[in-house]
Every structure is written in C-alpha cells, then in structure tokens.
Amino acid sequence: MEIYSEFKKWLDDLLENNDMPDTTKAFNFNLYEETEGENIYGIQLIAADEFDENDGGDWACSEVWSSGEDIFCVDSSDEEDTGWKQALKFISELVCDYLSEGTYKDILLGAEAVGIGFVDGEIDILYKA
C-alpha cells in the first residue's frame, strides 16, 4: 500500500530526527479535517507529559513535543465511505501497522499509551502499556 509507505517515511523522519522529552508519557495522533467536504485529513503527532485514560482525552493537551506544521495528509476520497468515521478507521489502521512493524515503533511503544482522535474530539487508545 503506497499510502502506508509514505506515512511510514513521514513518521520515521519525525522519530529519527527528534529527541522526545524524557517527560513523555503518551503520544497522540491529532487529526484535522483539512478541506471540508473534500475528504482530506491532516495528521499531527504530539507527545504529552500526562496520561489519564479517564480524563476524556485532556491529557493530549499537555503537549511537550509536536510535529508542528509537519502534517501528513491523507485523501480518503478513494474509500467507499468517505465520512470522518471512515477516515479515523483508515488512519488508525495506518498507525496500528506502524506500531506492529515500524522502524521506530519502540519509541511509541515505550510510552504509557498511544492515542488517536480529531482535535476537540474523543481520543481512541490504540496502545496502552
């Protein structure tokens, strides 16, 4: 899958070239709807120095590192169902694939948790130590 190769390269570049703060407890993949109605979604990786599965995702606001403007974009218009739920499912699968076989998966798996969700929305936990 070509999109996974591009996603993997983006994530490899982020994790290889940036030292995560020692205070990192969790990672979150923030999702943004880049162009409303056109099924293009942006992905940003953040590291947080807090994690509490029961706080509704507020832990992801305690950001100590971010990919900033280095956003990976996914065009989900090729998918059968092009809504945000399908985009979340598709991008979650990309992240899960990286967590199982990515070059720097140990950096992510070394945290207490890895989550994913739309900014100002609920966070799904994809990995918990």
Side-chain angles (χ1 to χ4, degrees):
M1 175 174 22
E2 184 177 328
I3 189 74
Y4 176 72
S5 296
E6 293 171 14
F7 177 75
K8 181 183 178 305
K9 181 181 178 343
W10 172 76
L11 203 44
D12 283 350
D13 288 347
L14 289 178
L15 297 173
E16 176 183 45
N17 297 322
N18 291 287
D19 291 326
M20 293 298 149
D22 292 338
T23 57
T24 299
K25 289 190 178 176
F27 291 96
N28 194 58
F29 288 86
N30 288 333
L31 304 183
Y32 302 88
E33 190 169 9
E34 290 291 313
T35 309
E36 193 167 327
E38 297 203 19
N39 303 309
I40 298 174
Y41 298 89
I43 307 168
Q44 177 189 52
L45 177 64
I46 67 101
D49 64 358
E50 292 182 20
F51 176 70
D52 181 352
E53 188 174 12
N54 300 314
D55 77 353
D58 288 344
W59 60 267
C61 296
S62 185
E63 185 179 297
V64 292
W65 179 90
S66 167
S67 64
E69 298 297 316
D70 190 348
I71 304 287
F72 184 81
C73 289
V74 172
D75 182 349
S76 69
S77 58
D78 291 340
E79 303 297 313
E80 283 182 33
D81 175 2
T82 56
W84 67 268
K85 288 181 182 178
Q86 179 62 27
L88 175 62
K89 181 179 181 278
F90 178 72
I91 297 167
S92 294
E93 289 170 2
L94 292 176
V95 174
C96 287
D97 286 349
Y98 192 91
L99 291 175
S100 66
E101 65 186 24
T103 307
Y104 299 102
K105 68 181 181 183
D106 291 342
I107 293 172
L108 299 173
L109 297 175
E112 291 180 32
V114 176
I116 188 169
F118 283 91
V119 174
D120 296 330
E122 293 182 23
I123 292 178
D124 294 337
I125 303 300
L126 299 178
Y127 164 80
K128 185 176 165 197

